Amino acid sequence: MGSRNYRDLIVWRKAMDFATQIYTVTQTLPTHETYGIRSQIRRAATSIPCNIAEGEGRGTPREMLRYCAIAYGSLSEVETLIELCNRLHYLQQADADNLRENAAEIGRLINGLRRSKQA
């Protein structure tokens, strides 16, 4: 068995897809939100796969747990901003629902990775 790379992690792949989806969906936000919600949600979404990669790259279970916690916090931030966008009617309902479903899946995967590192 070769050494593991963060790119091998399903959670990292899903988080990258999610960040890409966030970038696409937020293109339609009002221009006055360019430096507000749009910027914030994109940075938080990008933080999720970045922290998973950094945690894996650090090479110890303790560090991975630490970075998983940060990734999960960023995921919670994105979920909150999705809800805000939904309440402000900045997103179509189908987009908001899809983002929520994907966020929930990523949350489950992060929790699974955390459990695997605690064992």
Side-chain angles (χ1 to χ4, degrees), residues 28-97:
T28 62
L29 293 183
T31 55
H32 67 271
E33 288 295 351
T34 298
Y35 302 106
I37 293 172
R38 181 185 298 153
S39 176
Q40 185 69 21
I41 197 169
R42 286 177 172 186
R43 283 184 283 120
T46 302
S47 175
I48 301 164
C50 287
N51 279 292
I52 292 165
E54 187 166 357
E56 185 65 22
R58 299 252 176 189
T60 67
R62 182 177 176 201
E63 288 293 305
M64 189 63 193
L65 285 169
R66 179 173 163 239
Y67 282 92
C68 278
I70 296 167
Y72 199 89
S74 293
L75 178 64
S76 296
E77 183 177 356
V78 171
E79 288 175 311
T80 299
L81 289 163
I82 291 167
E83 179 62 25
L84 180 58
C85 287
N86 194 43
R87 289 180 183 201
L88 294 170
H89 306 286
Y90 288 171
L91 294 177
Q92 293 182 10
Q93 191 63 49
D95 287 334
D97 291 344

Side-chain angles (χ1 to χ4, degrees), residues 3-43:
S3 75
R4 194 157 126 170
N5 184 292
Y6 66 89
R7 291 174 178 270
D8 297 331
L9 298 171
I10 293 169
V11 65
W12 179 83
R13 292 180 196 166
K14 296 276 187 177
M16 285 294 291
D17 292 343
F18 184 65
T20 303
Q21 183 184 17
I22 288 289
Y23 267 77
T24 301
V25 169
T26 59
Q27 287 176 349
T28 62
L29 293 183
T31 55
H32 67 271
E33 288 295 351
T34 298
Y35 302 106
I37 293 172
R38 181 185 298 153
S39 176
Q40 185 69 21
I41 197 169
R42 286 177 172 186
R43 283 184 283 120

